[in-house]
Amino acid sequence: MKPTPRWLLLPLLWLVSQPLLARAQESESRERRVIEIPPTEEIPSVRAIFPLDAANVFFLNDRGQVGVAKFSPGLSQIGWTLYSELSAETLPALALGPKYSILTASPGELTQAFDTNSDLKLDFFQAVVRDWPDREKGVGITAGPVADAHGRILFALSPHALTAGGPVKARLMAWNPAKGSQTVLTESELPIESFALSRDNLLAARLTMADYKDGFFLSLTDLPAPTAENPEAAPVPMPFTLPSLILPAELTEGENPVAPVFIDDEGQTRLLLIAPGSGRILEVTPERRGPLWQGSILLRGISPKPLQALAETVPGSLLGGGVAGFFPLTENGEVFRIRTVRIVDDGLQIDFTQPVDRFEAIKPENFSLRAIALGGGETTLIVDPMVESTGRTVVLKTRFPEPAYVLRLVCQNLPSETGKSLLTPSAFYSVH
Amino acid sequence: MSAPRHRLIAFALALGWGTGIATEAQESAPAPSELAAGPTGQAVRLLVSRRTVKNFLTDGEALAVYPKSDNAPANLSGVFAIGSAEAGRAILWDPTACRLLGVLLLPKAGSPPGGEPQYALKATGPLPLAKSTGATGNPRYFGMRLIEGAPEFLYQYGSLSIEERIWLEDHGTVLKQRFSVKSAPRGLQFTVASDWKERLSASAGTWKDRVLNVPKEAAGEFVLTYRLDDSDAPAPAPQP
């Protein structure tokens, strides 16, 4: 490919010292760097996205190269360029580190990359973590990196024993850039194949359970903040990552949901995951219940293009990526779907994105609600539907069994008031 | 399990960088123009990647540096592949062993797919610097930097802090390997395999059989030049 003529370069500014980075680097340099991004018709193949702000993202392409892309306010792509030409077999995640560094991970290494000569290309790749227990037996990094609010870089290790003969567990680790040390943050009996961290340190980890075919385990765990006295110390007691929710295979057409990302949806924290083959986007709404986490699991949408990566650039603005490049995935209200389900005093409240057909919505036979006990057994619940005045909310009056079950809701034959069919009639709710 | 912090800092200081601090590295990394041993022939634009390669090493001494298990590793992960389509070759360098593993011959256009990879050179024997004073234990990879497109690997081998840069010249027919060791008060002993020796010349030091003795004055920078053009290479010894 011919190099882009200099005169064609758009004077697009990518300011590294935008607020997100500034939070992590308050005590560091206020230097501002600019990357000129040339317009190009070439389409990047996107495997991971790290948003910097509303208009700029870092990304990983399918060769493991780091790129930077710029967008208009409507998330139309203006241009992109490679920030590193080194290709590598990296895991599909990027994190920002101190001193404008970028972190990537492969099964054998956590790598921190810098632009040391200020030519706006990464040129120094430091292996910051290469040692961990049982590496010689095949233990490696399975997920990450993800930066937390305390400047640490989190990654997951496959199951291993800390001491000879000790219990074999997968562990979520934190690399502390200031000291170069590592801290165990949480342990899991099951391997961690991907994870995300919310702003308030809620860990969502996808756990591998190969023999289970009906769904996919998701763990929600509160991670304690490091203490001021000893920020490198492991939390006491050590949080244990247990399966909290099951993402039903029915919603992903049997496909493994990947690339979890937390978003802020009108003030509500939600977790999104994607099924790359079908382009299905799952939405989990975490809900604390005492020391446990429960929540609803819905199909949020189906991507119009092959989807491998998802990111929220600013609240309410979703950017997707895949072999067809970048594309906006922000909802426009045209899709008729179940927006939320929640347990209320007298039953189950279902909110829709559009008003429902009231005539159909009041028919009990158009709803199927079953409680599948976590210990086994299934109960069909009798429901009495009530439509609220807006037409967007239906309450199924019912009585629930004792907690520890999964609700499976099916809204069969329930069109919108304009005759649209639901994106999917099913929704799920884990209750502890 | 991680490297002692003081060792990394000492290593970084010995090499003149900050540990993971871009601004410090920027201040102290030698500028390309300051380097005496840059490309002298026609440089080849290199593509650098990291990948998992099927283990092609068969020599027990070369495999000794890998973690002990019942068998030789089936795959070598995170290996640097340095090459270009023009060169028709890829140089393989492994951060676990911290050594040049070999030269992979890229399939020519029109070659049937799925053939076994062909190697012009394969590492054999202990690590080349293993006989040097101060080279103890296993080497420890620190990182890699790109200097005018050429990768320079940074690692610690006992008390030796080593920079090793690799690039190709003259359409890929010449491989150059530049070493800079700033902590070798007794010089270096660099051992090469016999089949590599025939292709090799050095910018400094004296040969004794397969061992290049580099005096301490030259340890700060010496360059090995490998002739890769097989048409000029001696015919391989006939197989029994």
Side-chain angles (χ1 to χ4, degrees):
Chain A
M1 191 181 77
K2 288 183 178 178
T4 307
R6 188 76 184 167
W7 58 269
L8 264 181
L9 296 179
L10 292 179
L12 303 176
L13 303 183
W14 169 62
L15 305 178
V16 175
S17 57
Q18 42 70 48
L20 185 149
L21 263 179
R23 278 205 301 275
Q25 302 174 352
E26 283 178 350
S27 62
E28 298 172 0
S29 165
R30 293 288 179 184
E31 178 185 354
R32 297 162 77 88
R33 297 183 182 188
V34 177
I35 289 181
E36 284 185 326
I37 298 178
T40 175
E41 294 180 1
E42 200 175 336
I43 295 172
S45 182
V46 181
R47 287 179 64 230
I49 304 171
F50 185 95
L52 292 163
D53 56 27
N56 300 281
V57 304
F58 280 127
F59 68 96
L60 269 178
N61 69 9
D62 59 357
R63 301 178 66 185
Q65 296 168 306
V66 180
V68 59
K70 187 171 185 63
F71 300 87
S72 69
L75 287 181
S76 293
Q77 183 184 306
I78 295 173
W80 67 275
T81 189
L82 285 179
Y83 192 35
S84 167
E85 294 189 359
L86 176 73
S87 61
E89 295 169 327
T90 56
L91 300 171
L94 279 172
L96 294 189
K99 304 286 183 184
Y100 310 111
S101 63
I102 291 184
L103 287 114
T104 57
S106 60
E109 184 177 302
L110 180 65
T111 306
Q112 187 179 23
F114 298 96
D115 170 15
T116 61
N117 58 7
S118 300
D119 67 349
L120 303 173
K121 290 279 186 192
L122 298 175
D123 56 27
F124 182 53
F125 302 84
Q126 184 174 343
V128 290
V129 179
R130 279 179 67 86
D131 293 316
W132 48 74
D134 288 348
R135 181 188 169 106
E136 71 280 6
K137 295 176 183 173
V139 172
I141 299 176
T142 58
V146 171
D148 75 0
H150 310 285
R152 303 179 298 184
I153 306 298
L154 277 50
F155 59 97
L157 286 177
S158 55
H160 59 278
L162 289 179
T163 56
V168 175
K169 292 174 183 171
R171 291 180 171 86
L172 188 76
M173 311 292 295
W175 175 67
N176 307 291
K179 301 280 187 180
S181 59
Q182 297 175 51
T183 305
V184 180
L185 294 185
T186 180
E187 298 177 326
S188 167
E189 298 282 355
L190 299 174
I192 300 169
E193 60 182 61
S194 58
F195 68 93
L197 198 62
S198 74
R199 289 177 185 171
D200 48 0
N201 261 17
L202 175 62
L203 170 72
R206 271 279 299 111
L207 306 179
T208 304
M209 183 72 169
D211 297 338
Y212 188 68
K213 303 298 181 193
D214 291 337
F216 306 93
F217 287 177
L218 178 74
S219 172
L220 297 169
T221 311
D222 288 303
L223 289 185
T227 61
E229 302 78 40
N230 189 359
E232 295 173 68
V236 179
M238 175 69 65
F240 204 82
T241 301
L242 293 168
S244 308
L245 290 84
I246 295 172
L247 308 174
E250 180 182 333
L251 285 184
T252 66
E253 297 184 329
E255 200 180 349
N256 189 14
V258 299
V261 58
F262 279 103
I263 66 165
D264 180 356
D265 188 1
E266 297 177 357
Q268 171 72 54
T269 297
R270 301 192 201 279
L271 178 73
L272 304 185
L273 301 100
I274 59 179
S278 62
R280 290 180 161 229
I281 304 169
L282 266 57
E283 177 186 289
V284 177
T285 304
E287 184 182 312
R288 186 190 296 276
R289 183 175 171 85
L292 301 175
W293 285 88
Q294 59 183 28
S296 63
I297 305 156
L298 312 170
L299 181 64
R300 180 183 176 100
I302 299 176
S303 168
K305 296 180 181 179
L307 184 63
Q308 288 187 291
L310 187 64
E312 185 183 42
T313 53
V314 291
S317 192
L318 284 181
L319 180 66
V323 294
F326 294 100
F327 42 92
L329 284 171
T330 305
E331 287 191 302
N332 56 13
E334 291 180 1
V335 175
F336 176 48
R337 70 175 181 93
I338 299 171
R339 178 156 171 69
T340 58
V341 293
R342 72 186 70 156
I343 291 177
V344 292
D345 289 343
D346 54 351
L348 187 72
Q349 178 178 319
I350 314 164
D351 296 322
F352 296 87
T353 53
Q354 296 176 11
V356 296
D357 180 325
R358 292 163 190 265
F359 182 73
E360 297 295 337
I362 58 170
K363 296 178 181 175
E365 63 269 27
N366 280 345
F367 299 91
S368 164
L369 186 61
R370 287 187 292 168
I372 305 158
L374 296 179
E378 190 172 315
T379 307
T380 299
L381 306 181
I382 297 170
V383 300
D384 178 16
M386 305 286 290
V387 183
E388 293 197 350
S389 59
T390 61
R392 293 173 183 264
T393 298
V394 176
V395 176
L396 300 181
K397 294 196 171 182
T398 189
R399 296 186 63 173
F400 295 110
E402 289 299 307
Y405 56 86
V406 175
L407 283 179
R408 179 177 183 268
L409 167 71
V410 180
C411 306
Q412 57 248 12
N413 304 321
L414 182 62
S416 72
E417 68 178 6
T418 58
K420 285 184 181 174
S421 297
L422 276 168
L423 177 66
T424 179
S426 304
F428 294 80
Y429 201 117
S430 284
V431 181
H432 291 297
Chain B
M1 293 300 291
S2 62
R5 179 71 178 165
H6 67 273
R7 283 188 62 193
L8 292 180
I9 292 173
F11 178 48
L13 292 175
L15 294 179
W17 335 301
T19 51
I21 299 174
T23 48
E24 292 176 17
Q26 180 184 335
E27 287 166 3
S28 54
S33 59
E34 297 170 357
L35 300 169
T40 53
Q42 184 182 358
V44 175
R45 186 175 186 276
L46 298 173
L47 299 174
V48 183
S49 64
R50 297 189 73 172
R51 58 186 63 190
T52 299
V53 297
K54 186 179 175 185
N55 178 23
F56 59 92
L57 301 179
T58 53
D59 179 68
E61 287 183 307
L63 290 166
V65 71
Y66 293 96
K68 297 292 180 290
S69 59
D70 294 340
N71 300 304
N75 294 305
L76 305 173
S77 61
V79 169
F80 285 89
I82 306 133
S84 75
E86 175 195 1
R89 298 173 176 87
I91 314 302
L92 303 177
W93 194 95
D94 183 18
T96 299
C98 292
R99 79 184 298 180
L100 182 61
L101 287 187
V103 177
L104 171 68
L105 300 175
L106 302 178
K108 293 180 178 171
S111 301
E116 279 293 306
Q118 300 295 313
Y119 295 90
L121 296 170
K122 288 184 183 180
T124 57
L127 296 171
L129 287 168
K131 289 187 175 177
S132 301
T133 301
T136 56
N138 282 338
R140 180 174 187 79
Y141 175 70
F142 183 89
M144 183 274 286
R145 59 183 171 183
L146 291 165
I147 296 180
E148 294 185 340
E152 184 166 80
F153 305 104
L154 315 164
Y155 55 97
Q156 184 86 28
Y157 191 6
S159 63
L160 304 177
S161 300
I162 302 167
E163 302 172 9
E164 179 181 341
R165 193 186 317 170
I166 288 173
W167 70 96
L168 292 167
E169 292 183 357
D170 297 340
H171 307 288
T173 59
V174 171
L175 162 64
K176 293 209 171 176
Q177 188 180 26
R178 172 193 180 271
F179 286 90
S180 177
V181 185
K182 296 198 172 79
S183 50
R186 297 191 178 184
L188 299 168
Q189 285 73 51
F190 192 94
T191 306
V192 297
S194 55
D195 57 334
W196 295 38
K197 169 73 169 57
E198 295 164 353
R199 298 169 178 264
L200 187 55
S201 61
S203 67
T206 55
W207 288 100
K208 184 177 180 183
D209 193 16
R210 294 187 292 115
V211 180
L212 177 68
N213 291 290
V214 181
K216 65 179 182 182
E217 296 78 17
E221 183 177 61
F222 66 99
V223 178
L224 304 179
T225 301
Y226 299 76
R227 191 163 29 84
L228 298 180
D229 188 348
D230 287 329
S231 64
D232 297 336
Q239 297 293 318

